[in-house]
Amino acid sequence: PNAYLGIPLRVEGRTIGVLKLEDRISPPAPMTFSAEDQLLGEMMGNVIATVVYNAQRSADDSAEKLTQF
């Protein structure tokens, strides 16, 4: 990649993954991510982390209910 930005996916103080952003197009000049790109990536990362965390909790709850029967 010409440029790379790694955004930690954090929920409740835990890192549950990483959002990896890359630029693979070769422009005449090297591409870099701006501060705005980083902020947007962090905002997206917060939403993604929350969705993944809630989905995992829901799956765990469902599995626990099934084992109770």
Side-chain angles (χ1 to χ4, degrees):
N2 295 317
Y4 172 85
L5 183 61
I7 306 290
L9 301 178
R10 292 190 184 114
V11 176
E12 296 181 355
R14 290 184 321 138
T15 301
I16 63 168
V18 176
L19 174 61
K20 178 178 154 183
L21 305 174
E22 295 181 353
D23 173 44
R24 293 183 174 265
I25 300 173
S26 297
M31 191 268 187
T32 59
F33 287 102
S34 69
E36 289 178 356
D37 295 331
Q38 183 173 351
L39 179 60
L40 180 59
E42 289 171 358
M43 291 168 47
M44 290 184 340
N46 289 336
V47 172
I48 292 167
T50 301
V51 168
V52 169
Y53 179 75
N54 288 338
Q56 288 174 336
R57 277 187 22 189
S58 178
D60 291 345
D61 291 346
S62 296
E64 185 178 326
K65 287 178 184 175
L66 287 174
T67 60
Q68 291 175 357
F69 288 107

